Amino acid sequence: MPARLSPDAPEVLHDYYRILQGGITAYEEGARMRELLTDHLDFSGSLAGHLTDATEGFLHGVAGFIGTVRDIEIIQDVHDDSGSAVLYSATMPGGPVTFAEFFTFENDRINTLHLHYNGPEYLDKGGR
Protein backbone atom coordinates (compact mmCIF):
# COMPACT_ATOMS: atom_id res chain seq x y z
CA MET A 1 0.00 0.00 0.00
CA PRO A 2 1.52 3.37 -0.95
CA ALA A 3 2.38 5.85 1.80
CA ARG A 4 -0.45 8.34 2.31
CA LEU A 5 0.19 11.74 3.80
CA SER A 6 -2.54 14.09 4.95
CA PRO A 7 -3.74 16.72 2.47
CA ASP A 8 -1.98 19.34 4.65
CA ALA A 9 1.46 17.97 3.71
CA PRO A 10 3.60 20.11 1.39
CA GLU A 11 3.81 18.77 -2.16
CA VAL A 12 7.55 18.21 -1.76
CA LEU A 13 6.78 15.59 0.92
CA HIS A 14 4.23 13.84 -1.27
CA ASP A 15 6.96 13.61 -3.93
CA TYR A 16 9.54 12.48 -1.36
CA TYR A 17 7.42 9.57 -0.13
CA ARG A 18 6.48 8.55 -3.69
CA ILE A 19 10.19 8.24 -4.41
CA LEU A 20 10.82 6.24 -1.21
CA GLN A 21 8.09 3.81 -2.31
CA GLY A 22 9.09 3.74 -5.99
CA GLY A 23 11.78 1.07 -5.80
CA ILE A 24 15.45 1.19 -6.69
CA THR A 25 14.92 0.95 -10.46
CA ALA A 26 12.76 4.07 -10.45
CA TYR A 27 15.25 5.87 -8.17
CA GLU A 28 17.55 6.48 -11.17
CA GLU A 29 20.60 7.41 -9.07
CA GLY A 30 18.59 10.03 -7.21
CA ALA A 31 17.95 12.55 -9.99
CA ARG A 32 14.35 13.26 -8.94
CA MET A 33 15.16 13.13 -5.19
CA ARG A 34 17.98 15.66 -5.71
CA GLU A 35 15.42 18.15 -7.06
CA LEU A 36 13.54 17.95 -3.74
CA LEU A 37 16.56 18.83 -1.57
CA THR A 38 18.47 22.05 -1.06
CA ASP A 39 22.08 22.03 -2.23
CA HIS A 40 23.34 21.87 1.37
CA LEU A 41 20.88 19.57 3.18
CA ASP A 42 21.31 19.59 6.96
CA PHE A 43 20.80 15.93 7.87
CA SER A 44 20.97 13.87 11.04
CA GLY A 45 20.29 10.19 11.41
CA SER A 46 21.06 7.33 13.77
CA LEU A 47 23.74 5.77 11.58
CA ALA A 48 25.12 8.85 9.79
CA GLY A 49 25.23 11.27 12.72
CA HIS A 50 24.81 14.99 12.01
CA LEU A 51 26.02 16.34 8.65
CA THR A 52 25.56 19.98 7.67
CA ASP A 53 26.27 19.56 3.95
CA ALA A 54 24.74 16.15 3.36
CA THR A 55 22.87 16.27 0.05
CA GLU A 56 25.15 13.87 -1.85
CA GLY A 57 25.66 11.56 1.13
CA PHE A 58 21.92 11.46 1.78
CA LEU A 59 21.22 10.53 -1.86
CA HIS A 60 23.65 7.62 -1.55
CA GLY A 61 22.27 6.50 1.83
CA VAL A 62 18.61 6.70 0.87
CA ALA A 63 19.33 4.43 -2.12
CA GLY A 64 20.08 1.62 0.36
CA PHE A 65 16.78 2.24 2.12
CA ILE A 66 14.82 2.33 -1.15
CA GLY A 67 16.52 -0.87 -2.28
CA THR A 68 15.34 -2.80 0.77
CA VAL A 69 12.05 -1.25 1.94
CA ARG A 70 8.96 -3.20 0.94
CA ASP A 71 6.24 -0.86 2.20
CA ILE A 72 5.75 2.36 4.12
CA GLU A 73 2.72 3.01 6.31
CA ILE A 74 2.22 6.56 7.53
CA ILE A 75 1.14 6.49 11.17
CA GLN A 76 0.87 10.25 11.75
CA ASP A 77 1.96 13.43 10.01
CA VAL A 78 1.85 17.01 11.29
CA HIS A 79 2.51 20.20 9.31
CA ASP A 80 2.68 23.90 10.13
CA ASP A 81 4.52 27.02 9.01
CA SER A 82 7.74 25.93 10.74
CA GLY A 83 8.00 22.43 9.20
CA SER A 84 6.65 18.91 9.13
CA ALA A 85 6.92 15.72 11.16
CA VAL A 86 6.10 12.26 9.84
CA LEU A 87 5.93 9.04 11.86
CA TYR A 88 5.85 5.87 9.78
CA SER A 89 6.49 2.16 9.80
CA ALA A 90 8.71 0.73 7.07
CA THR A 91 8.48 -2.96 6.27
CA MET A 92 12.02 -4.25 5.80
CA PRO A 93 13.00 -7.81 4.79
CA GLY A 94 13.20 -8.80 8.49
CA GLY A 95 10.08 -6.96 9.64
CA PRO A 96 8.82 -3.45 10.45
CA VAL A 97 10.96 -0.57 11.71
CA THR A 98 9.47 2.71 13.00
CA PHE A 99 10.88 6.02 11.76
CA ALA A 100 10.20 9.65 12.68
CA GLU A 101 11.29 12.35 10.24
CA PHE A 102 11.34 16.07 11.01
CA PHE A 103 11.60 18.48 8.07
CA THR A 104 12.07 22.18 7.43
CA PHE A 105 11.79 23.72 3.99
CA GLU A 106 13.38 26.49 1.95
CA ASN A 107 11.91 27.58 -1.38
CA ASP A 108 9.67 24.47 -1.50
CA ARG A 109 12.64 22.13 -1.04
CA ILE A 110 13.73 20.06 1.96
CA ASN A 111 16.34 22.06 3.86
CA THR A 112 16.73 20.03 7.06
CA LEU A 113 15.88 16.42 7.74
CA HIS A 114 16.27 14.88 11.18
CA LEU A 115 15.62 11.14 11.03
CA HIS A 116 15.05 9.16 14.22
CA TYR A 117 15.02 5.36 14.34
CA ASN A 118 16.76 2.43 16.02
CA GLY A 119 19.89 1.97 13.88
CA PRO A 120 20.84 -1.54 15.08
CA GLU A 121 17.24 -2.74 14.60
CA TYR A 122 17.21 -1.29 11.07
CA LEU A 123 20.42 -3.15 10.18
CA ASP A 124 19.21 -6.38 11.86
CA LYS A 125 16.04 -6.27 9.74
CA GLY A 126 17.95 -5.96 6.47
CA GLY A 127 18.42 -2.21 6.08
CA ARG A 128 21.52 -0.90 4.37
Side-chain angles (χ1 to χ4, degrees):
M1 171 189 239
R4 301 251 189 245
L5 292 167
S6 71
D8 297 332
E11 190 59 34
V12 67
L13 286 188
H14 288 282
D15 292 342
Y16 174 82
Y17 284 99
R18 275 193 286 273
I19 292 169
L20 290 185
Q21 285 278 166
I24 198 64
T25 303
Y27 185 61
E28 297 176 353
E29 298 182 24
R32 178 66 182 117
M33 179 71 80
R34 181 178 276 109
E35 296 172 6
L36 305 179
L37 308 173
T38 59
D39 293 335
H40 303 284
L41 176 70
D42 185 320
F43 175 79
S44 63
S46 297
L47 297 176
H50 181 227
L51 305 166
T52 57
D53 192 6
T55 302
E56 294 306 317
F58 177 78
L59 291 169
H60 175 74
V62 79
F65 176 80
I66 291 170
T68 56
V69 70
R70 295 180 178 166
D71 187 44
I72 293 175
E73 178 186 350
I74 303 293
I75 299 167
Q76 178 97 32
D77 59 307
V78 179
H79 314 278
D80 67 19
D81 293 340
S82 64
S84 294
V86 180
L87 178 66
Y88 64 93
S89 177
T91 303
M92 307 304 294
V97 177
T98 301
F99 293 83
E101 294 186 303
F102 299 87
F103 301 88
T104 65
F105 309 98
E106 180 179 294
N107 299 322
D108 298 321
R109 296 168 77 192
I110 299 168
N111 186 49
T112 64
L113 171 50
H114 300 290
L115 175 61
H116 299 270
Y117 63 103
N118 182 319
E121 177 189 24
Y122 171 73
L123 294 174
D124 286 346
K125 292 188 176 179
R128 50 187 168 116

